[in-house]
Amino acid sequence: NAGVTQTPKFQVLKTGQSMTLQCAQDMNHEYMSWYRQDPGMGLRLIHYSVGAGITDQGEVPNGYNVSRSTTEDFPLRLLSAAPSQTSVYFCASSSYTTDKRNYGYTFGSGTRLTVV
Amino acid sequence: GEDVEQSLFLSVREGDSSVINCTYTDSSSTYLYWYKQEPGAGLQLLTYIFSNMDMKQDQRLTVLLNKKDKHLSLRIADTQTGDSAIYFCAETGDTGNQFYFGTGTSLTVIP
């Protein structure tokens, strides 16, 4: 059981380049999300999805796009990379709850992105 | 949005107890969580507590919840060097699906 798989683990981009961070889960989780982690700021939500075909913005969505064509995959696209997007990016998933009972997210191991 | 606050750093000596504190604003969360992040790794769920409980114990970990003051704490007994990590408090707000994380507390264990 692989859980949540993120690729690549490390990436260096030049300002203005675009790229896609991949995230895949094999737990049939409906809910998937992308966070960025910056020192002293904790985890900030970029985008999330409650199921295939449905996405929504989080706290810091500018400069990022997402799509959810399958339950398993939730890629994050950087449209035109900027140095401010240097960060560690985490994908997470969980079952979708309608009764507020959530037993926790499963996280990927992260992608460390540097934009120069 | 919901606010979850933690102090940034904590240092303890090996063998002592560590207490990591967290305050939150949304009283509608059904569960509250503690995650651990080791260097260079993702977050791992350590434990969670149901909102109608005051305390939960799991081996060396004790979680205390004070709903009136919206205060959550994690006590690690007999702290070991392998406990050095960043610890995140989290709550899920009114739907139970979206997580709100604190800034994380970096725990350093001194041998």
Side-chain angles (χ1 to χ4, degrees):
Chain A
N1 190 347
V4 178
T5 303
Q6 287 186 241
T7 56
K9 291 193 182 305
F10 301 94
Q11 183 71 48
V12 178
L13 287 179
K14 293 184 179 177
T15 297
Q17 285 185 316
S18 62
M19 80 160 293
T20 300
L21 279 62
Q22 301 292 344
C23 174
Q25 53 90 10
D26 61 359
M27 298 170 285
N28 204 31
H29 283 166
E30 300 91 351
Y31 192 92
M32 296 185 75
S33 54
W34 277 101
Y35 288 87
R36 58 177 289 172
Q37 182 182 22
D38 301 292
M41 302 190 75
L43 292 163
R44 291 184 291 170
L45 182 66
I46 305 171
H47 285 285
Y48 65 96
S49 168
V50 299
I54 306 168
T55 64
D56 208 343
Q57 296 182 350
E59 182 187 353
V60 288
N62 291 340
Y64 307 95
N65 272 357
V66 291
S67 60
R68 184 97 180 267
S69 55
T70 66
T71 300
E72 294 78 20
D73 299 298
F74 191 44
L76 178 73
R77 294 185 195 82
L78 278 70
L79 308 171
S80 177
S84 60
Q85 294 178 304
T86 293
S87 189
V88 181
Y89 292 85
F90 288 101
C91 180
S93 73
S94 73
S95 297
Y96 184 80
T97 179
T98 55
D99 64 359
K100 299 174 67 173
R101 293 174 182 268
N102 190 325
Y103 301 111
Y105 276 173
T106 300
F107 278 84
S109 56
T111 295
R112 283 147 185 80
L113 176 69
T114 302
V115 182
V116 298
Chain B
E2 286 73 1
D3 278 332
V4 182
E5 307 240 343
Q6 301 177 241
S7 54
L8 288 180
F9 302 101
L10 177 66
S11 255
V12 299
R13 293 211 171 271
E14 190 174 16
D16 288 350
S17 291
S18 310
V19 179
I20 303 170
N21 294 302
C22 169
T23 58
Y24 59 96
T25 57
D26 191 331
S27 58
S28 66
S29 295
T30 300
Y31 291 98
L32 294 125
Y33 308 81
W34 285 103
Y35 280 83
K36 177 183 181 183
Q37 183 183 31
E38 296 183 350
L43 279 71
Q44 286 183 294
L45 180 64
L46 261 186
T47 187
Y48 60 87
I49 186 167
F50 191 46
S51 58
N52 70 353
M53 296 171 65
D54 298 325
M55 185 180 84
K56 179 180 179 181
Q57 190 148 1
D58 185 359
Q59 300 183 333
R60 292 190 297 121
L61 304 179
T62 303
V63 179
L64 295 177
L65 175 60
N66 182 328
K67 281 197 78 173
K68 175 175 168 290
D69 294 338
K70 297 181 187 171
H71 183 265
L72 184 72
S73 68
L74 174 69
R75 179 178 179 268
I76 305 173
D78 186 25
T79 312
Q80 303 298 306
T81 54
D83 295 323
S84 292
I86 302 175
Y87 291 81
F88 290 91
C89 166
E91 52 106 355
T92 53
D94 59 359
T95 69
N97 287 299
Q98 188 165 316
F99 277 61
Y100 299 92
F101 290 88
T103 53
T105 299
S106 179
L107 173 65
T108 300
V109 181
I110 304 162

